[in-house]
Amino acid sequence: MTIKRLVAAMFLASASNSVLAEESFTVQDIQVEGLQRVALGAALNNLPFNVGDTVTEYNLSRSIRTLYSAGHFDDIQVLRDGNTVIYRLRERPTINAIEFDGNKDIKEDQLNESLAGNRIEVGEPLDKTILKNIENGLTEFYHGVGKYQASVEIEVTYLPRNRVNLKIKFDEGDAASVRQINVVGNKLFSDEELLSNIESKQDLPWWRFLSSDRYQKQTLQGDIEKINSYYLDRGYLRFNIDSSQVSVSPDKESVYVTLNITEGEKYTISGVKFVGDLIGQDEFIRQILPLKDGQLYNGALVTYTEESIAKLLARFGYANSKVRTIPDINEDTKEVELTISVDPGKRVYVRRINMSGNSNTKDEVLRRELRQMEGAWLSNDALESSKQWIQRLPYIESVEFATAPVAGIDDQVDVGFTIKEQPSGSFNAGISYGNYMGMSFQIGVQQENFFGSGNSAGISLSTNKYQKSISTSYTNPYFTLDGVSLGGQVFYSDTDYSSASSNLEAYNQQRYGFGANFGYPINEYNRLNFGANYVVNKINSINEYDQLRHFRGVLLDAQNPDGGYKFTNYELSAGWSRSTLNRGLFPTAGHYLGATIRATTPNSDLTYYKVMFEARNYIPLSNDHAWSFLSKLETGYGNGYGSKNGYDYTLPFTENFYAGGDNMRGFESRIIGPHAIFRYAQSVPGLPDPNAGSGGFPSGPESDRYQVSQRSIGGNAMAVATLELITPTPFLSDDYRNSVRTSIFVDAGNVWDTEFDINRYAGLTKIVSSQNQPELIDYSDASLIRATAGVSLQWISPMGPLTFSLAKIIKKYDGDLQENFSFNIGTTF
């Protein structure tokens, strides 16, 4: 069998048409050799001819290029045996695994994404010709971040069945430091003044270890722009950076940067005029225009003007407007006339809004928060507002949106919202046994996004030796399409507060009832809330301390003085809230204001009211909101109204305010506030009686003695303020910023009793039973402020929100009985 190898394609292409005609033949058979992974049919489909076609050697050479373009083969040979065409192929090996070694500056996810763009993926055929380009590209990246000693090598290990393993080995080395930055040509501003405004630092001394003089190409480009803006913002319109040079030292450990500049002269604005279409907003734009005649030229103001006009046009649907400023410079007078060209383009409408990423939350729950509507014109303000409203939902971690033009239609776009959800509730369950509590069982679920409906539902059940409780609640925040909410709750609890961990004066309370609430939105930021509750309280086993005299005088049954207290109340509440927060959980900007008043009706057994106010203000300190400052104030006041049996009603002790724990980190829960005072009457011995003994007679109240309890009873007034610096969480990626928060805080406040009269105990003798006996202080004095400082870590875990805080008490009183350091764990924010 005579086999003739075909000549190269280029040679065949240069042959004459007559020669090609002489070499033509009819293909009777096509044979393919060397296939292992690629199917025969797939290989034949890439051939430009079939059996029975008449071909030339030129056609055969073109088939080689066609087969190469399929990307499956490393080597291709075409042979001819008579009218039979034979292809001998060597397939490219398949990538079995990709391993990275030594990479620190580049994450593996970034590397895999970059390699995939070059078709270097597990399961794909390997094109060895691009490996060198990948090595060079990665090396160039390291040079760009100042690591000139870095090297990258791709190691190929061949495996059976035509497979390979790739191992990309990185030797990153150390980053070069900026040894010196030279500015050449500056006369108006010194080197120190210019370099103080840029991020790159030169030759830092060892004690500035928190700063970095590492060279990065991208950082230098930004610094050049900052220097350019520095001059333009001061009127130097002709300023120019003529050139920049970066020189690397022979040891590749240092970099020298030289900037050659031309400063020029100052220019003032001689006039501002507009050309184009201002969509009827001419007068408004001129009123807000920051550029004025006679003003020194300012590049930042020019850019701000362009952006402001573009944003204004975007509010009316002109999302693709073009605004640019054309300067007309007069070199003789050193003045510049600015012409602002405005081209609004076509008004853009939203065809469709798509939601993605919401695996748990229904689309309709998210769509009811939208302020941008389908069919309406595209508004950036409406899109940002929609993003903010969705982010305020407590079960949403982050929201991003993007617009995509509709193919073939130049005035329509589709909007896509990408949602990242977070745990929307908490779950706890447990069973235990202890000598004090006995058998304990608890289970509870609180879900802010019940079955993805956006409704809030919760149920809790617990029982042990000192507590039995069950409660259930449900709230629909969109009972109507207008945003009117409706909810209700049913509850029962039987609690023994004699536990030392409660920090309260011992008593047993049985409480049950039900209630309903609804809310009404006034506008985008303000809301009114109303509620009604029916509550029954039964109290017994209480230590009758002195501050209970009003409560006892109103409710005590003279026929059954040991029967405890029982009272039924009908409560009404009204509240107002205003929120501009950018997120529901872990906000970083905006404010929240809320005020609530709750009062019992006159036909209740006890008539009283409580007023509460909360204010929170977040101020971002960085553009990415990684640093933020929080100021917070919580206040409350309650008292009774009316009288009974000659006693004025006061706030029941079960409704008192407390501080410590969640709202005063560092102090034990509910430890701050008035302590119970027990007052004991004394007696004077009587005359001896031979029949009945000596006996005794009560002495006057001036001879009474008192004792201050270590346990708190709370007060009817409270004020707690917080200053908090929110910081990035150390050693944690920014990906977790919306679910983990670290802060440095100072808490200060007090709980007091406006009805307390310290003069009642003037001249009385105090009973001291131990060295830790609290002192008697004026519990009506609101200025007895306590304060703590510390750090806090908050985490939205899959089981619910958790708070960890470590605090040091910086101000307390003897009655607080608290150590200086405290570690708290809580489940509220």
Side-chain angles (χ1 to χ4, degrees):
M1 180 175 60
T2 304
I3 297 177
K4 179 173 64 177
R5 183 179 298 273
L6 298 178
V7 298
M10 187 176 295
F11 176 78
L12 290 175
S14 64
S16 65
N17 291 333
S18 61
V19 173
L20 289 175
E22 293 175 357
E23 294 285 337
S24 65
F25 65 96
T26 301
V27 179
Q28 294 181 349
D29 190 19
I30 300 175
Q31 299 179 7
V32 181
E33 301 176 357
L35 293 179
Q36 298 180 34
R37 178 178 54 83
V38 180
L40 176 62
L44 294 177
N45 285 337
N46 288 297
L47 296 179
F49 56 83
N50 297 308
V51 173
D53 292 346
T54 300
V55 299
T56 64
E57 292 182 347
Y58 176 72
N59 298 131
L60 296 178
S61 68
R62 289 188 58 192
S63 71
I64 296 177
R65 292 197 298 270
T66 304
L67 285 172
Y68 266 124
S69 65
H72 298 297
F73 308 107
D74 265 344
D75 184 59
I76 302 172
Q77 294 180 354
V78 182
L79 309 175
R80 176 182 170 189
D81 184 7
N83 290 338
T84 299
V85 179
I86 304 171
Y87 287 90
R88 290 181 177 173
L89 312 175
R90 187 171 76 243
E91 292 184 354
R92 289 177 176 174
T94 302
I95 301 174
N96 179 67
I98 303 174
E99 181 183 355
F100 306 105
D101 180 32
N103 57 303
K104 295 179 180 178
D105 278 6
I106 312 179
K107 297 180 181 179
E108 290 193 7
D109 291 343
Q110 294 174 304
L111 288 169
N112 282 320
E113 184 178 349
S114 177
L115 293 176
N118 290 281
R119 298 192 64 182
I120 303 295
E121 294 181 274
V122 173
E124 292 291 329
L126 173 64
D127 183 0
K128 292 183 289 187
T129 61
I130 67 174
L131 293 183
K132 192 63 180 178
N133 292 335
I134 293 174
E135 290 178 346
N136 294 337
L138 290 172
T139 303
E140 284 298 320
F141 166 80
Y142 282 107
H143 289 178
V145 297
K147 292 193 171 184
Y148 290 99
Q149 298 175 342
S151 63
V152 180
E153 179 185 359
I154 301 180
E155 186 179 276
V156 182
T157 303
Y158 290 89
L159 304 173
R161 302 194 304 276
N162 198 28
R163 297 174 301 140
V164 294
N165 283 348
L166 299 182
K167 185 175 184 179
I168 306 180
K169 301 168 69 175
F170 297 83
D171 183 6
E172 294 184 338
D174 296 326
S177 60
V178 179
R179 181 58 57 85
Q180 190 172 3
I181 303 176
N182 299 309
V183 183
V184 179
N186 56 311
K187 299 178 181 178
L188 300 170
F189 304 103
S190 65
D191 288 4
E192 291 77 11
E193 189 173 357
L194 294 176
L195 299 182
S196 65
N197 294 290
I198 66 175
E199 189 174 342
S200 298
K201 304 300 178 184
Q202 61 177 346
D203 201 21
L204 292 173
W206 65 269
W207 59 82
R208 294 186 60 182
F209 59 89
L210 292 178
S211 302
S212 174
D213 56 3
R214 173 178 174 173
Y215 169 74
Q216 294 194 55
K217 183 178 181 180
Q218 187 175 2
T219 302
L220 179 62
Q221 292 298 324
D223 292 338
I224 291 175
E225 290 298 323
K226 288 180 180 179
I227 293 176
N228 185 69
S229 298
Y230 188 83
Y231 276 90
L232 290 180
D233 294 349
R234 286 157 178 78
Y236 296 94
L237 184 57
R238 292 294 195 185
F239 172 80
N240 185 56
I241 297 181
D242 303 319
S243 64
S244 61
Q245 296 93 30
V246 178
S247 303
V248 184
S249 63
D251 59 7
K252 298 183 179 180
E253 293 182 354
S254 302
V255 167
Y256 297 85
V257 179
T258 301
L259 303 177
N260 296 286
I261 68 173
T262 299
E263 293 180 316
E265 298 185 35
K266 286 185 178 182
Y267 289 79
T268 57
I269 299 175
S270 61
V272 181
K273 63 181 181 180
F274 292 90
V275 295
D277 183 7
L278 299 182
I279 65 169
Q281 300 296 322
D282 310 49
E283 189 62 31
F284 177 76
I285 292 176
R286 293 184 185 279
Q287 288 178 357
I288 65 172
L289 186 69
L291 301 171
K292 307 297 180 183
D293 294 356
Q295 178 182 332
L296 194 66
Y297 178 85
N298 188 311
L301 280 182
V302 171
T303 302
Y304 172 78
T305 300
E306 294 173 345
E307 292 176 349
S308 298
I309 296 174
K311 288 181 179 179
L312 177 65
L313 296 176
R315 291 181 60 185
F316 295 92
Y318 298 94
N320 300 320
S321 63
K322 297 178 181 179
V323 182
R324 61 190 183 98
T325 303
I326 306 168
D328 183 10
I329 301 173
N330 188 324
E331 295 292 355
D332 296 331
T333 61
K334 303 303 178 187
E335 292 180 330
V336 56
E337 183 181 30
L338 302 178
T339 300
I340 302 177
S341 172
V342 180
D343 178 13
K346 284 189 176 182
R347 176 172 278 178
V348 179
Y349 294 84
V350 176
R351 183 186 70 166
R352 185 177 295 116
I353 298 177
N354 301 309
M355 300 288 177
S356 63
N358 51 315
S359 57
N360 297 321
T361 308
K362 297 178 181 177
D363 266 21
E364 63 188 57
V365 175
L366 303 174
R367 289 182 181 276
R368 66 193 184 190
E369 304 294 339
L370 294 177
R371 270 53 186 170
Q372 173 69 64
M373 299 301 170
E374 293 178 342
W377 66 59
L378 179 67
S379 169
N380 286 343
D381 284 355
L383 287 176
E384 287 293 342
S385 181
S386 299
K387 172 183 175 180
Q388 190 175 77
W389 274 91
I390 296 176
Q391 271 189 170
R392 287 181 187 172
L393 298 174
Y395 37 88
I396 301 300
E397 180 175 330
S398 63
V399 180
E400 298 297 335
F401 66 82
T403 59
V406 177
I409 306 177
D410 59 359
D411 63 346
Q412 290 187 16
V413 296
D414 289 338
V415 179
F417 282 87
T418 303
I419 311 297
K420 184 177 181 182
E421 297 174 310
Q422 64 187 5
S424 57
S426 61
F427 173 80
N428 61 80
I431 184 170
S432 62
Y433 178 81
N435 291 334
Y436 173 74
M437 295 188 302
M439 182 64 72
S440 174
F441 170 79
Q442 65 177 18
I443 183 171
V445 178
Q446 179 64 43
Q447 178 62 254
E448 299 296 333
N449 189 18
F450 189 64
F451 289 118
S453 66
N455 299 339
S456 173
I459 183 170
S460 175
L461 172 66
S462 68
T463 177
N464 53 50
K465 188 175 181 180
Y466 65 88
Q467 184 183 45
K468 298 178 181 65
S469 68
I470 182 171
S471 65
T472 181
S473 63
Y474 191 86
T475 300
N476 184 349
Y478 275 85
F479 181 71
T480 70
L481 294 178
D482 295 331
V484 174
S485 63
L486 181 65
Q489 63 277 341
V490 179
F491 52 88
Y492 169 84
S493 65
D494 188 349
T495 307
D496 182 2
Y497 287 102
S498 61
S499 168
S501 62
S502 73
N503 288 322
L504 298 180
E505 193 58 46
Y507 67 95
N508 180 272
Q509 181 184 24
Q510 188 180 91
R511 186 173 184 269
Y512 58 88
F514 58 88
N517 59 81
F518 77 95
Y520 181 81
I522 302 174
N523 52 36
E524 290 283 282
Y525 304 108
N526 295 275
R527 188 178 187 86
L528 296 178
N529 296 281
F530 304 93
N533 291 296
Y534 169 80
V535 184
V536 178
N537 282 275
K538 295 181 180 179
I539 297 174
N540 52 51
S541 302
I542 186 171
N543 292 331
E544 300 285 352
Y545 48 87
D546 196 40
Q547 291 99 321
L548 281 178
R549 63 188 182 278
H550 282 77
F551 186 80
R552 184 169 53 247
V554 170
L555 290 179
L556 185 64
D557 184 358
Q559 304 299 321
N560 185 18
D562 298 324
Y565 307 95
K566 179 180 180 180
F567 50 97
T568 300
N569 292 330
Y570 304 91
E571 300 176 348
L572 298 177
S573 64
W576 161 80
S577 64
R578 174 181 171 82
S579 177
T580 63
L581 300 178
N582 62 336
R583 286 176 44 80
L585 289 177
F586 293 159
T588 55
H591 67 264
Y592 172 85
L593 300 173
T596 302
I597 181 170
R598 179 163 58 89
T600 59
T601 59
N603 61 326
S604 300
D605 289 338
L606 294 176
T607 54
Y608 62 88
Y609 62 91
K610 290 180 71 174
V611 181
M612 290 154 285
F613 175 78
E614 180 185 358
R616 284 180 286 148
N617 187 37
Y618 294 84
I619 302 175
L621 303 179
S622 59
N623 291 332
D624 61 356
H625 290 207
W627 295 79
S628 187
F629 181 76
L630 163 64
S631 59
K632 180 180 177 181
L633 176 66
E634 290 182 87
T635 62
Y637 176 77
N639 215 327
Y641 68 92
S643 62
K644 181 180 178 181
N645 300 334
Y647 290 93
D648 292 335
Y649 282 115
T650 58
L651 186 70
F653 71 95
T654 57
E655 296 289 338
N656 277 348
F657 296 100
Y658 301 94
D662 293 335
N663 59 354
M664 282 285 289
R665 292 160 287 190
F667 283 96
E668 291 182 7
S669 177
R670 297 177 288 197
I671 195 66
I672 298 176
H675 289 244
I677 301 173
F678 295 91
R679 184 165 179 167
Y680 303 101
Q682 301 302 304
S683 61
V684 178
L687 296 175
D689 185 335
N691 297 319
S694 60
F697 298 91
S699 62
E702 68 279 356
S703 301
D704 289 354
R705 294 191 299 169
Y706 71 90
Q707 185 178 25
V708 182
S709 171
Q710 295 184 3
R711 296 191 174 194
S712 173
I713 60 172
N716 71 326
M718 177 196 69
V720 176
T722 294
L723 298 178
E724 196 159 344
L725 177 64
I726 299 167
T727 69
T729 303
F731 314 112
L732 198 64
S733 168
D734 284 347
D735 297 338
Y736 299 95
R737 182 186 301 171
N738 294 329
S739 58
V740 180
R741 167 168 287 183
T742 302
S743 60
I744 302 170
F745 65 84
V746 174
D747 294 337
N750 188 26
V751 173
W752 66 98
D753 187 348
T754 62
E755 302 297 314
F756 180 78
D757 183 8
I758 196 172
N759 296 323
R760 289 172 51 85
Y761 310 97
L764 302 185
T765 302
K766 178 184 177 183
I767 301 174
V768 180
S769 59
S770 67
Q771 291 182 350
N772 292 329
Q773 185 68 35
E775 294 293 332
L776 175 65
I777 59 177
D778 186 358
Y779 294 126
S780 65
D781 187 354
S783 65
L784 300 179
I785 296 174
R786 283 82 163 173
T788 64
V791 294
S792 175
L793 177 67
Q794 296 172 295
W795 174 39
I796 305 176
S797 74
M799 301 299 291
L802 292 175
T803 299
F804 305 87
S805 60
L806 178 64
K808 176 180 174 60
I809 296 174
I810 56 180
K811 188 175 182 181
K812 65 168 187 170
Y813 295 92
D814 291 340
D816 297 331
L817 297 176
Q818 176 75 35
E819 298 296 331
N820 281 340
F821 284 95
S822 176
F823 180 71
N824 293 340
I825 300 178
T827 57
T828 59
F829 282 73

